[in-house]
């Protein structure tokens, strides 16, 4: 009998004794917001910790594996070459060989020039393209990144180091501090990777990086005017005003016209080669070999004309042989230890930011994944090894990586090929560079850093986000008119300021109902959306925490006051319900709960009822744990805004 009645209710009559349909009954009883099952504190803590630091579940491949297999997987995790090396074949090697030889022809003249930016002898630039690429090839996960000294890090390192030690008066101490900074740059990078703190580098926003890189490019180009114009007495300052004063004060007696002729001629050649490579992708090798061709031709020209006797400054002696050990030169004690740590920390993070960005860019182009934390460990290990073998900070070079990619590299073996070529150069060919004019190195650096000025990205930033553009320009002008470290400080400060502004002043919006739907959206975005008489619907677009809870409470009350004044002026009914749409509210802390309690008391004084719509699992759990749910009323917490309106303003829900 009971089953018959149930059957009759569900499938035959669909009608209750009071005459209301089941559909009407379900409309009148909105679905209740679910409260997630209570988790134990330790389980919840471990889950949060795992999601924060181990979101990629790095230990998953080790699950249910034998000890021997776990050992193999562990070795492959540390040295990825052991994994992809098993699949390596002759076809891969052909691509890597061509790519390696191409980037070697680009890196050798660049390394000699970049070492001057760091105020080090030319051989140290070459050293830094020998050992670090070998270490990275063993431990790195990117197939395309080309390792070596880069312009921005070289300039940054040189600027910070010479603030502590004069490289001309105390060259040995300066070099030792450079190795110390490199060592701690590597330690910083490896530590961030091991502790899985790579997300920290994301605090330097893209806009700030664009501005910093552009400013650094201008500064680097200005520094090259010394070699380009043949000026002997040049300012040690890097800001625009000091450099231009030094340049123009030397115009009558300090400029060397043969040097200018050599530099200008080959700068035009390099820029034309770069233009050819940019417009005709198949001729990518033209700008890649142009620097080496320039060095060979200019060196030969100076040698046969004895231009050095006419005041053309040349490289002179470059030490022959591979990297000497430098472990004993690193400062592990004394006054310079902390200075080395500080400089290494800054240089390491900038180098890391550039390398990871480059690695992700080319990984996306080839549709494969790189592990950011593994990259940090690999970069850190190579710089630690480099500091012990007379290298300064190395990282991924965008220009060389782009050439590496276009030349058809398949794996990190292209770095090994480049390293072998640099080794051969150090062993046998360094005497050939003795007559290389400094002007050609300046021209090579100027042509290389021009690409760092990304004006298209700056224009896009202006269109998208004006605050981001302020960060971009702040970093740019800070580097150009003050110094590299001031520009970096401005970039980081503005990035943090934006983050703090977004956290402390989150967006809120008034919602209205989209016609012919049950959807409620921002009335500024959808002007056709209609407000609900007697009801104010506010959406909070962030977590509610100690930094913004008071602002959110006050902002909601201001919305309410403004709405009531408008209603009073037009003679419409006053607000009876305030609905807070909480779907964007991902979390709430004790300050947030306290703010909602204060909001509830303020609303009660105004005879306005507080209603919550669609609180997430974390939020509803804390609302119940704090007893706020009983204060508001269980019947005032709804799954959707539409459900809340159905209860608060049923006539509107039916009519609209």
């Amino acid at each position: 009998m009971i089953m018959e009645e149930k059957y009759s209710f569900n499938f035959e009559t669909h009608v209750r004794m009071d005459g209301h349909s089941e559909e009407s009954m379900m409309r009148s009883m909105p679905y209740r917001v679910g409260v997630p099952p209570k988790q134990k504190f330790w389980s919840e803590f471990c889950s949060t910790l795992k999601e924060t630091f181990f979101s990629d579940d790095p230990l998953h491949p080790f699950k249910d594996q034998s000890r021997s297999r776990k050992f193999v997987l562990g070795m492959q995790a540390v040295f990825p070459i052991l994994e992809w090396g098993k699949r390596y074949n002759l076809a891969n090697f052909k691509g890597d060989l061509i790519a390696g030889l191409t980037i070697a022809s680009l890196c050798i003249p660049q390394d000699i020039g970049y070492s001057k930016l760091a105020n080090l002898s030319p051989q140290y630039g070459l050293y830094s393209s020998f050992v670090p690429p070998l270490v990275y090839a063993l431990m790195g996960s990117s197939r395309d990144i080309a390792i070596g000294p880069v312009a921005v890090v070289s300039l940054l390192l040189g600027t910070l180091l010479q603030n502590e030690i004069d490289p001309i008066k105390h060259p040995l101490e300066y070099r030792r501090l450079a190795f110390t900074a490199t060592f701690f740059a590597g330690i910083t990078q490896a530590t961030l990777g091991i502790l899985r703190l790579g997300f920290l580098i994301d605090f330097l926003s893209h806009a700030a990086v664009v501005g910093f890189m552009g400013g650094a490019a201008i500064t680097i180009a200005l520094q090259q005017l010394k070699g380009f114009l043949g000026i002997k007495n040049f300012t040690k300052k890097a800001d625009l005003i000091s450099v231009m004063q030094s340049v123009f004060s030397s115009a009558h007696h300090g400029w060397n016209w043969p040097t200018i002729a050599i530099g200008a001629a080959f700068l035009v050649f390099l820029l034309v080669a770069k233009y050819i490579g940019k417009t005709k992708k198949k001729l990518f090798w033209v700008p890649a070999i142009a620097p080496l061709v320039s060095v060979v031709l200019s060196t030969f020209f100076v040698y046969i004309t004895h231009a050095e006797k006419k005041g053309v400054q040349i490289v002179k002696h470059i030490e022959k042989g591979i990297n000497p050990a430098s472990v004993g030169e690193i400062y592990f004690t004394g006054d310079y230890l902390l200075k080395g740590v500080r400089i290494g920390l800054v240089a390491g993070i900038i180098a890391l930011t550039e390398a990871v960005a480059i690695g992700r860019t080319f990984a996306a182009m080839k549709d494969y994944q790189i592990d950011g934390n593994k990259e940090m460990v690999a970069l850190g290990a190579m710089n630690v090894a480099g500091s012990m073998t007379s290298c300064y900070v190395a990282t991924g070079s965008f220009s060389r990586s782009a050439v590496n990619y276009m030349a058809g590299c398949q794996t990190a073996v292209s770095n090994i090929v480049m390293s072998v070529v640099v080794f051969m150069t150090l062993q046998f060919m360094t005497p050939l560079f003795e007559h290389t004019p400094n002007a050609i190195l300046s021209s090579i650096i100027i042509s290389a850093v021009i690409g760092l000025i990304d004006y298209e990205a700056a224009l896009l930033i202006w269109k998208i986000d004006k605050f981001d553009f302020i960060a971009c320009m702040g970093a740019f002008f800070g580097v150009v008119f003050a110094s590299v470290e001031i520009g970096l400080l401005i970039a980081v400060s503005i990035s943090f300021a934006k983050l703090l502004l977004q956290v402390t002043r989150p967006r809120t919006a008034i919602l209205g109902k989209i016609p012919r739907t049950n959807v409620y959206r921002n009335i500024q975005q959808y002007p056709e959306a209609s407000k609900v008489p007697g009801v104010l619907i506010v959406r909070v677009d962030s977590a509610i925490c100690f930094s913004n809870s008071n602002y959110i409470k006050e902002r909601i009350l201001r919305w309410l006051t403004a709405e009531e004044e408008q209603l009073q002026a037009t003679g419409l009914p006053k607000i009876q319900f305030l609905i807070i749409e909480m779907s964007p509210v991902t979390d709430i802390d004790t300050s947030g709960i306290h703010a909602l309690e204060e909001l509830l008391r303020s609303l009660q004084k105004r005879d306005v009822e507080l209603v919550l719509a669609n609180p997430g699992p974390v939020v509803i759990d804390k609302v119940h744990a704090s007893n706020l749910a009983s204060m508001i009323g269980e019947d005032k917490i709804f799954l959707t805004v539409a459900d809340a309106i159905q209860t608060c303003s049923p006539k509107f829900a039916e009519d609209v």
Side-chain angles (χ1 to χ4, degrees):
M1 184 67 178
I2 295 173
M3 291 186 68
E4 288 177 2
E5 288 178 358
K6 184 176 181 182
Y7 180 86
S8 175
F9 172 80
N10 282 328
F11 299 100
E12 292 182 359
T13 65
H14 292 268
V15 178
R16 288 170 51 88
M17 292 180 65
D18 59 6
H20 292 287
S21 68
E22 181 184 8
E23 183 181 356
S24 174
M25 180 189 70
M26 292 182 69
R27 273 207 311 265
S28 64
M29 296 180 61
Y31 199 88
R32 291 189 63 184
V33 175
V35 180
K38 193 70 177 177
Q39 280 188 303
K40 292 182 179 179
F41 170 75
W42 183 248
S43 300
E44 188 176 359
F45 176 76
C46 291
S47 176
T48 303
L49 195 67
K50 180 180 178 182
E51 189 60 30
T52 302
F53 296 103
F54 303 97
S55 57
D56 56 343
D57 197 9
L59 299 179
H60 180 72
F62 294 84
K63 191 176 180 180
D64 301 325
Q65 299 291 340
S66 63
R67 285 188 177 182
S68 59
R69 181 60 182 162
K70 286 180 180 178
F71 176 78
V72 172
L73 290 172
M75 292 298 292
Q76 289 178 348
V78 178
F79 302 103
I81 193 172
L82 298 176
E83 181 182 0
W84 56 259
K86 295 181 294 185
R87 303 186 297 273
Y88 199 74
N89 54 40
L90 184 61
N92 295 140
F93 180 69
K94 287 179 180 178
D96 288 334
L97 179 64
I98 294 170
L101 292 173
T102 306
I103 58 176
S105 68
L106 177 62
C107 86
I108 291 170
Q110 282 187 347
D111 290 346
I112 295 172
Y114 291 161
S115 62
K116 290 185 175 294
L117 286 176
N119 300 313
L120 293 167
S121 300
Q123 65 268 19
Y124 293 104
L126 295 171
Y127 292 161
S128 301
S129 282
F130 173 45
V131 172
L134 291 176
V135 177
Y136 182 84
L138 297 175
M139 301 182 68
S141 58
S142 173
R143 305 172 197 167
D144 303 279
I145 196 168
I147 297 297
V150 297
V152 173
V153 176
S154 298
L155 174 68
L156 177 65
L157 195 66
T159 303
L160 296 176
L161 289 172
Q162 74 176 2
N163 288 342
E164 305 296 339
I165 302 175
D166 190 317
I168 298 174
K169 294 180 180 178
H170 307 286
L172 177 60
E173 288 79 4
Y174 181 90
R175 188 172 70 240
R176 291 186 64 185
L177 187 59
F179 297 152
T180 305
T182 302
F183 176 81
F184 286 106
I187 293 294
T188 299
Q189 294 167 336
T191 301
L192 288 174
I194 292 169
L195 298 180
R196 306 185 72 79
L197 297 174
F199 59 85
L200 293 178
I201 66 173
D202 293 330
F203 281 102
L204 196 61
S205 68
H206 171 69
V209 171
V210 168
F212 175 77
M213 290 294 185
I218 297 291
T219 302
I220 291 166
L222 290 172
Q223 290 287 307
Q224 299 316 300
L225 293 177
K226 176 185 178 182
F228 190 86
L229 301 174
I231 302 172
K232 293 182 178 179
N233 298 317
F234 199 72
T235 181
K236 292 182 179 179
K237 296 180 180 179
D239 63 282
L240 175 66
I241 295 172
S242 298
V243 170
M244 296 315 296
Q245 284 178 344
S246 183
V247 168
F248 289 117
S249 64
S250 305
H252 297 295
H253 55 82
W255 292 12
N256 183 269
W257 293 105
T259 299
I260 295 172
I262 293 171
F266 282 101
L267 178 59
V268 171
F269 169 71
L270 290 166
L271 293 176
V272 170
K274 181 171 281 192
Y275 177 78
I276 291 171
K278 190 175 182 178
T279 53
K280 298 182 179 179
K281 299 297 182 183
K282 291 183 179 180
L283 298 177
F284 68 89
W285 52 271
V286 173
I289 66 168
L292 189 59
V293 171
S294 300
V295 168
V296 172
L297 293 177
S298 62
T299 302
F300 180 70
F301 174 78
V302 170
Y303 179 75
I304 61 173
T305 60
H306 297 287
E308 70 275 10
K309 294 180 180 179
K310 298 178 182 178
V312 175
Q313 298 177 32
I314 58 175
V315 172
K316 296 181 181 177
H317 181 65
I318 300 179
E319 288 287 341
K320 191 177 179 181
I322 60 172
N323 311 30
S326 57
V327 182
E329 295 189 26
I330 298 173
Y331 288 113
F332 291 109
T333 58
D335 296 337
Y336 290 127
L337 172 61
L338 290 178
K339 294 177 181 179
V341 172
R342 179 176 57 82
I343 296 170
L345 179 67
V346 175
I349 289 176
I350 294 299
L352 195 60
T353 302
E354 187 171 357
V356 172
I358 292 167
R360 287 173 178 168
T361 299
F362 289 104
M365 291 169 70
K366 283 191 175 180
D367 194 24
Y368 68 91
Q369 297 292 323
I370 64 169
D371 187 325
N373 291 297
K374 284 183 182 178
E375 284 295 287
M376 294 174 195
V377 173
L379 292 164
M382 79 180 191
N383 277 315
V384 169
S387 69
M388 298 179 180
T389 51
S390 300
C391 304
Y392 71 93
V393 181
T395 187
S397 164
F398 189 83
S399 59
R400 272 175 261 175
S401 298
V403 170
N404 197 30
Y405 170 80
M406 290 186 288
C409 72
Q410 301 296 314
T411 67
V413 170
S414 60
N415 275 295
I416 298 176
V417 173
M418 178 189 73
S419 187
V420 170
V421 174
V422 172
F423 166 76
M424 300 293 289
T425 302
L426 284 166
Q427 282 289 80
F428 306 109
M429 290 183 277
T430 51
L432 300 177
F433 294 102
E434 287 185 6
H435 287 85
T436 300
N438 288 339
I440 192 62
L441 300 178
S442 297
S443 298
I444 289 170
I445 293 173
I446 291 170
S447 68
V449 299
I450 284 175
L452 296 176
I453 306 172
D454 196 347
Y455 65 90
E456 291 180 351
L459 290 174
L460 184 61
I461 290 168
W462 167 258
K463 292 178 182 178
I464 296 172
D465 192 320
K466 302 300 185 289
F467 199 99
D468 264 356
F469 185 76
I470 293 172
C472 179
M473 290 297 100
F476 177 82
F477 288 119
V479 174
V480 171
F481 288 101
S483 63
V484 174
E485 55 266 41
I486 294 297
L488 183 60
L489 181 62
I490 291 173
V492 173
S493 299
I494 294 178
S495 296
F496 269 104
K498 182 185 178 184
L499 183 65
L500 288 173
L501 190 64
Q502 289 175 335
V503 171
T504 58
R505 294 293 183 269
R507 295 181 186 276
T508 56
I510 300 294
L511 305 188
K513 186 177 182 180
I514 304 294
R516 297 180 298 280
T517 71
N518 277 327
V519 177
Y520 291 79
R521 290 292 182 267
N522 188 341
I523 59 173
Q524 289 185 338
Q525 184 178 1
Y526 299 94
E528 69 274 16
S530 56
K531 293 181 180 179
V532 182
V535 180
L536 179 64
I537 310 168
V538 180
R539 189 184 67 210
V540 179
D541 291 337
S542 80
I544 304 175
C545 58
F546 67 93
S547 62
N548 62 24
S549 58
N550 195 52
Y551 168 79
I552 290 172
K553 179 197 70 175
E554 292 177 353
R555 187 70 187 94
I556 291 174
L557 289 174
R558 286 202 305 274
W559 279 123
L560 180 61
T561 301
E563 192 71 15
E564 286 180 334
E565 289 175 354
Q566 186 177 353
L567 292 173
Q568 188 176 5
T570 55
L572 294 173
K574 66 184 293 291
I575 298 295
Q576 295 177 309
F577 297 93
L578 173 68
I579 301 175
I580 302 180
E581 217 291 52
M582 302 191 75
S583 54
V585 181
T586 55
D587 200 356
I588 189 169
D589 64 5
T590 51
S591 298
I593 294 291
H594 185 63
L596 289 182
E597 291 173 351
E598 290 181 348
L599 176 64
L600 178 62
R601 285 192 287 269
S602 297
L603 294 176
Q604 287 170 345
K605 293 176 182 178
R606 300 186 184 204
D607 293 326
V608 177
E609 294 188 50
L610 177 62
V611 178
L612 304 183
N614 196 22
V618 175
V619 175
I620 194 64
D621 182 49
K622 293 181 180 180
V623 165
H624 277 275
S626 65
N627 206 35
L628 179 61
S630 60
M631 293 173 65
I632 295 173
E634 295 282 354
D635 59 336
K636 297 294 189 297
I637 303 176
F638 296 92
L639 185 64
T640 66
V641 173
D643 287 346
I645 294 298
Q646 188 179 338
T647 300
C648 300
S649 184
K651 190 174 186 304
F652 179 86
E654 292 174 3
D655 292 346
V656 179

